[in-house]
Amino acid sequence: MNEHERLRTDLGVYVLGQLDEASAARLEQHLDGCASCTAELGELTPVAAALADLRVRPAPAAGDVPPGLADRVVGAVEHAARAERRTSWARTAGVAGVAAALALVLSLGVQSLRNDPTPTTPAVPTEAVGVRDEAPGVQASAALVNHTWGVEVKLRASGFEDGGRYRVDVLGRGGRRYPAGEFVGTGAREMDCNLNSSVLRDQAAGFEVTDSDGRVVAAATFG
């Protein structure tokens, strides 16, 4: 193999950034006076640039591309480039590998989006709770979520004094009160509050909403 062909086989490894410093310097000197190799380099560079972009791009959303696929593809291409750099077909194999890698990742991503364009989060199981409205104008409903760390009260209501401060406590079966958070009333506008408490479901008996004066304005008893 003459010098021109030997340097030409290094083009694929060069655009992948895997050519050692001394070899890269010789190739760059050759490119200064070789129009055909310079033209080939121009064709290969966009492919390598696309691969580089794939490597630095943030991890895709779950479901778009199988986890770790990009890293496995990149690793395989780079390994092949290093192992086969000195063979007469190394440049072609390296470029074909890059193109195939990009096509595979992109096609999987597109196919995943076609199959599931709007991924949804599974619904959280809730327990309906009857709410007693203890203050004029208050209308409220609630649902209870049983978590491993405690309970969550999902409160939907209107009629609480606009700008008024309210406190929510979950009532334990032994009479203990567990703080579940506070909110500001929105008047006639309906509001949604997610209120969390550290009492476990089997020890939770209900909840109370009290105003800034300590008066109960809404309450519920859990089944």
Side-chain angles (χ1 to χ4, degrees):
M1 181 187 300
N2 60 36
E3 181 71 3
H4 172 81
E5 286 300 319
R6 187 185 66 77
L7 290 170
R8 182 169 175 268
T9 61
D10 280 343
L11 285 171
V13 186
Y14 178 75
V15 297
L16 290 173
Q18 298 298 315
L19 198 60
D20 63 80
E21 188 174 344
S23 297
R26 285 194 297 271
L27 178 59
E28 288 167 358
Q29 184 177 13
H30 173 73
L31 289 169
D32 287 339
C34 181
S36 63
C37 285
T38 299
E40 271 195 73
L41 180 65
E43 295 175 358
L44 302 180
T45 300
V47 180
L51 179 59
D53 178 64
L54 174 65
R55 296 176 62 189
V56 302
R57 188 177 304 165
D64 288 352
V65 179
L69 175 61
D71 288 340
R72 294 197 300 273
V73 169
V74 171
V77 171
E78 291 181 346
H79 177 75
R82 289 194 298 269
E84 307 296 342
R85 192 180 65 193
R86 293 301 178 186
T87 69
S88 61
W89 49 272
R91 181 190 62 81
T92 302
V95 175
V98 172
L102 290 173
L104 176 62
V105 172
L106 292 175
S107 65
L108 284 172
V110 170
Q111 186 62 40
S112 176
L113 290 175
R114 286 176 178 169
N115 291 341
D116 187 12
T118 54
T120 57
T121 302
V124 178
T126 59
E127 177 184 339
V129 175
V131 179
R132 301 187 303 276
D133 304 326
E134 305 280 352
V138 171
Q139 294 185 340
S141 62
L144 188 67
V145 182
N146 180 12
H147 293 289
T148 57
W149 43 260
V151 295
E152 177 185 358
V153 176
K154 293 182 174 293
L155 179 65
R156 172 170 291 184
S158 63
F160 291 108
E161 181 185 354
D162 195 4
R165 300 183 64 85
Y166 296 87
R167 172 189 173 98
V168 181
D169 291 292
V170 172
L171 308 178
R173 297 195 183 279
R176 181 178 172 183
R177 303 179 72 89
Y178 296 85
E182 298 182 341
F183 63 86
V184 175
T186 57
R189 291 172 296 160
E190 189 174 71
M191 65 176 193
D192 289 293
C193 288
N194 296 326
L195 304 148
N196 300 296
S197 178
S198 60
V199 60
L200 296 177
R201 175 64 186 91
D202 61 357
Q203 295 300 313
F207 73 82
E208 287 183 345
V209 181
T210 54
D211 62 16
S212 57
D213 294 324
R215 294 185 298 241
V216 176
V217 294
T221 300
F222 302 155

